[in-house]
């Protein structure tokens, strides 16, 4: 008997876009949600999804958060997240984007927080 099965990772964009004032970089941006999971395929047909995780990415500083609130994650997964408020208590930071960087007002170069002058053009940083 010939049997074909496999487990593959899958990423799905969710229908959730909220305008926010980012707590990391203090700029306006949007939350964008996506789901990552593993899928069991039998004879090239997806049968079972497991290890589901819902992530939120910010468009302003590109930070990534894991949604830890199970009820809100389930609503986001099923497309019912239009009226959901996601606070800092509902998410766990996975990767903070450009929050720890200084942006040069003269040339736009991004440098570490502890620099006083831009390493690209020499302009003073705030």
């Amino acid at each position: 008997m010939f049997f074909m099965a496999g487990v593959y990772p899958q990423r799905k964009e969710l229908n959730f876009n909220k305008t926010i004032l980012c707590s990391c970089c203090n700029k306006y941006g949007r939350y964008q949600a996506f789901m990552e999971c593993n899928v069991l395929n039998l004879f090239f047909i997806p049968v079972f999804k497991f290890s589901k995780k819902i992530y939120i990415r910010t468009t302003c500083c590109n930070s990534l958060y894991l949604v830890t609130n199970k009820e809100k994650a389930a609503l986001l997964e099923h497309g019912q997240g239009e009226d959901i408020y996601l606070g800092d208590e509902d998410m766990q930071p996975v990767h903070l984007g450009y929050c720890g960087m200084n942006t040069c007002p003269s040339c736009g170069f991004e440098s570490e927080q502890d620099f006083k002058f831009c390493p690209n053009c020499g302009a003073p940083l705030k």
Side-chain angles (χ1 to χ4, degrees):
M1 181 170 162
F2 185 65
F3 185 71
M4 287 187 68
V7 176
Y8 301 100
Q10 182 183 34
R11 179 178 172 161
K12 179 184 175 187
E13 297 292 326
L14 300 176
N15 187 18
F16 180 74
N17 288 309
K18 284 283 187 195
T19 304
I20 52 126
L21 178 61
C22 184
S23 61
C24 182
C25 66
N26 294 322
K27 294 181 182 176
Y28 283 104
R30 284 190 329 268
Y31 280 155
Q32 294 177 328
F34 63 93
M35 177 181 71
E36 287 186 349
C37 64
N38 292 322
V39 179
L40 173 67
N41 288 342
L42 295 175
F43 297 105
F44 304 107
I45 298 172
V47 176
F48 181 65
K49 292 182 182 181
F50 59 97
S51 300
K52 294 179 186 178
K53 293 182 181 177
I54 307 291
Y55 291 99
I56 299 289
R57 181 171 299 279
T58 60
T59 59
C60 50
C61 63
N62 212 21
S63 294
L64 182 66
Y65 299 95
L66 174 67
V67 178
T68 55
N69 188 320
K70 300 290 184 192
E71 294 84 21
K72 292 183 180 181
L75 288 173
L76 287 172
E77 179 184 353
H78 298 297
Q80 301 170 348
E82 298 89 22
D83 298 325
I84 291 179
Y85 170 75
L86 288 172
D88 291 336
E89 65 277 356
D90 299 323
M91 301 181 298
Q92 174 186 352
V94 175
H95 172 73
L96 295 178
Y98 307 116
C99 299
M101 304 292 259
N102 265 343
T103 304
C104 176
S106 177
C107 68
F109 185 79
E110 301 215 354
S111 63
E112 303 273 333
Q113 280 284 55
D114 53 347
F115 286 127
K116 298 203 185 298
F117 295 93
C118 177
N120 190 38
C121 69
L125 299 173
K126 295 179 184 176

